[in-house]
Amino acid sequence: MDTLRRHSLMILVLGSLVVTLAMGLRHGFGLFLEPMSAELGWGRGVFAFALAIQNLLWGLAQPFAGAVADRYGAARVVVLGGALYALGLLFMGLSETALGMTLSAGVLIGLGLSGTTFSVVLGAVGRAVAPEKRSMAMGIVSAAGSFGQFAMLPGTLGLLEWLGWSAALLAMAAIGALLLPLGALLRDRPSPAAAGDLPLREALDEALGHRGFWLLCLGFFVCGFQVVFIGVHLPGYLYDNGIAVQVGSTVLALIGLFNIFGTYVTGWLGGRYSKSRLLSWLYLCRAGVITLFLMVPLSPASAYAFGIAMGLLWLSTVPLTNGIVASVFGVQHLSMLGGIVFLFHQLGSFMGVWLGGLLYDLQGDYDVVWKLAILLGVAAAALHWWINEAPVQRDARQRAGA
């Protein structure tokens, strides 16, 4: 028992460090929108499109990365993802054309993120801990991602002001290379095959035929739309309204800081109350917070309050969403099934960041996208209310693995 406990703790700690580093680096990208676009003569649409491609490829690659992690363990997936991530940051720092930006920030970093973030790491954690502790453990790892955002954003801004955007990205590439040794130490091993296990194809068919799985996917689309639009475009939105760029950085850091508490608490609550109902309330609260932010006069104080409120709701959806997948379908194919749900998150991310840049270039403001974020939040609250968290019932033939 002590050996199992030590193994679970090791997976939890290493997984938290991987997510801290991967998400901490990613959350600083919004700070580069204005200086890169201004110096290189781009509209904001070029930067936004590259990050939209990043989020899209992150999502498209995630089910495959998850399937490999389910089959062979998370270590090799994280190492490969870390290498692609570091290379993407390196080439992003050297980019001078729209194509170079898309290939580096979009393709390489998008693929790198698919191997170093939640679906792969939470799958490893879900297999390593006892079922009754799974929601809490996922909440801890998700909170680690928020800690990375809080801890690394000031450093990213400092590098940007000290070195300029190009050299700052090269320094971030060196930091990203730390993912390789961390991933190598993450010696997660899938559980041995058991009589009740399903082959990959049957597990996929089972999930795709489950109404709650599709509702979860559609709800996570909204999560991606909201958080990536805000994470990338909020600093520019504040800057356009006469608020210093340091305020935008501080707001993103506050989101990270308060999301540490939000994800931990929702992970704890998810082990005691209905995860789907908690998600409904989270999305409804997000819609309310965005509405209030747009209604009150904009100032540094209102921006800080928005960062605190959104932080409590930011990645709180992650442990609950992955917890539902584990509760309904089990943990054998958790990384792969969680990756499919996350694909929809990234489709929403693509739309949020791309529409933000496109409509800004066309209209000069973000008004339409803010309104969409509110309406989608209400829709997601309704969708999650009808999700059934009961484990699927499998017949004898399925339980035999036929």
Side-chain angles (χ1 to χ4, degrees), residues 19 24 54 71 97 102 110 116 154 162 172-173 178 187 198 233-234 244 250 259 267 277 330 355 389:
V19 172
Q54 176 193 113
R71 178 74 180 272
T97 66
T102 300
T116 56
W162 177 38
M172 291 168 66
L178 295 174
R187 299 188 180 277
L198 285 181
H233 290 287
L234 181 63
T250 303
N259 194 45
R277 298 299 170 86
L355 277 180
E389 300 173 49

Side-chain angles (χ1 to χ4, degrees), residues 225-375:
F225 186 99
Q226 292 173 329
V227 301
V228 177
F229 165 67
I230 292 171
V232 172
H233 290 287
L234 181 63
Y237 173 76
L238 296 176
Y239 181 82
D240 290 342
N241 285 276
I243 296 178
V245 66
Q246 290 83 358
V247 174
S249 174
T250 303
V251 172
L252 294 181
L254 285 171
I255 289 174
L257 174 62
F258 281 86
N259 194 45
I260 296 172
F261 302 102
T263 50
Y264 180 82
V265 170
T266 53
W268 178 80
L269 290 173
R272 290 159 175 77
Y273 302 101
S274 166
K275 298 177 185 64
S276 60
R277 298 299 170 86
L278 288 170
L279 282 166
S280 288
W281 286 111
L282 280 172
Y283 283 108
L284 196 59
C285 287
R286 274 194 194 176
V289 168
I290 295 171
T291 301
L292 287 174
F293 176 60
L294 298 178
M295 288 178 62
V296 302
L298 186 59
S299 66
S302 71
Y304 294 146
F306 177 72
I308 292 170
M310 282 302 298
L312 294 172
L313 309 168
W314 194 251
L315 295 180
S316 301
T317 58
V318 173
L320 298 176
T321 299
N322 283 272
I324 291 175
V325 176
S327 297
V328 176
F329 303 104
V331 298
Q332 183 194 3
H333 300 289
L334 177 57
S335 293
M336 185 268 292
L337 295 178
I340 294 173
V341 178
F342 189 75
L343 167 60
F344 281 79
H345 183 283
Q346 295 312 99
L347 293 174
S349 300
F350 175 91
M351 294 302 298
V353 69
W354 177 64
L355 277 180
L358 176 66
L359 293 179
Y360 182 89
D361 286 346
L362 291 175
Q363 300 179 349
D365 59 49
Y366 294 111
D367 290 351
V368 172
V369 190
W370 281 118
K371 292 173 183 176
L372 279 174
I374 295 169
L375 292 174

Side-chain angles (χ1 to χ4, degrees), residues 5 12 125-126 129-140 267 271:
R5 200 174 286 126
L12 187 63
V125 171
V129 301
E132 64 273 12
K133 298 179 180 179
R134 192 175 292 144
S135 182
M136 173 69 79
M138 289 180 175
I140 291 172

Side-chain angles (χ1 to χ4, degrees), residues 14-24 116-118 121 141-142 144-145 179:
L14 289 172
S16 296
L17 289 173
V18 167
V19 172
T20 295
L21 193 55
M23 295 301 291
T116 56
T117 47
F118 292 115
V121 175
V141 175
S142 301
L179 288 166

Side-chain angles (χ1 to χ4, degrees), residues 22-30 32 36 45-62 84-89 92 98 100-117 169 172 227-229 231-232 342-343 345-351 353-354:
M23 295 301 291
L25 289 169
R26 173 185 173 270
H27 277 299
F29 289 160
F32 291 85
M36 290 186 72
V46 172
F47 189 97
F49 179 75
L51 264 65
I53 291 296
Q54 176 193 113
N55 283 283
L56 182 61
L57 283 180
W58 181 4
L60 290 172
Q62 192 69 82
L84 292 171
Y85 201 155
L87 285 173
L89 287 165
M92 183 179 172
M101 181 68 178
T102 300
L103 293 176
S104 58
V107 176
L108 288 175
I109 294 179
L111 294 174
L113 284 164
S114 72
T116 56
T117 47
L169 286 165
M172 291 168 66
V227 301
V228 177
F229 165 67
V232 172
F342 189 75
L343 167 60
H345 183 283
Q346 295 312 99
L347 293 174
S349 300
F350 175 91
M351 294 302 298
V353 69
W354 177 64

